[in-house]
Amino acid sequence: VAGASRGIGLEFVRTLCGLGHWVFAVCRDPQHEKSAELREFVAAFGGDEDSEQQRGRVTVVVADAASEESIKSACATIAELTDHVDIVINNAGCAFYHGRALETNVLEEMIVEYRVNALAPLCFTRELRPLLQRSTFAHKSVVSMSSIMACIADNTTVLAYGYRM
């Protein structure tokens, strides 16, 4: 699950672990204050693989979704730990300029948004594809998520031009 530090990504982690799956929770900075709920879940869920109470597993993997090299490294780490992946959930996202007029947008920030929101899902999928192809799970899938913020037709509520590319 890319973008697992909070929100719906974290809920995917909780739910899938609760169903008995081994989940790789991918986030940029597990020590950041915004990752506190993920850290709490990992601590509460436990890491003892021999525990009779443990229904699933969670492994936190660090990746900066704005960096292709970081994504490749994270996916290589996953490949070292498992021989297959059943589901890839691309949930990482960012938006920098809520409410900024087009004239005040910074191109470098917009490029980061494009890397994270548009290119990172493709990169994660490309890098994890060999593991996904080895899965015997009947419903192996790639799930790429977005939000209403990505709706070009609704660009009147929040001026998030970089997010909506």
Side-chain angles (χ1 to χ4, degrees), residues 6 14 16 38 40 44 58 62 66 75 78 92 97 102 110 122 130-131 136 150 152-153:
R6 59 193 172 113
R14 287 178 175 146
L16 292 169
L38 175 62
E40 290 168 12
V58 60
V62 175
C75 293
I78 293 169
Y97 353 93
L102 182 58
M110 292 176 78
L122 295 173
L131 296 177
T136 58
I152 293 170

Side-chain angles (χ1 to χ4, degrees), residues 48-64:
D48 183 1
E49 295 176 32
D50 298 323
S51 171
E52 291 180 19
Q53 296 178 346
Q54 186 165 339
R55 295 173 59 196
R57 287 171 64 184
V58 60
T59 301
V60 176
V61 179
V62 175
D64 179 352

Side-chain angles (χ1 to χ4, degrees), residues 61-63 67-80 127:
V61 179
V62 175
S67 165
E68 182 178 12
E69 289 308 312
S70 183
I71 293 170
K72 285 181 176 182
S73 177
C75 293
T77 297
I78 293 169
E80 289 172 6
E127 296 302 314

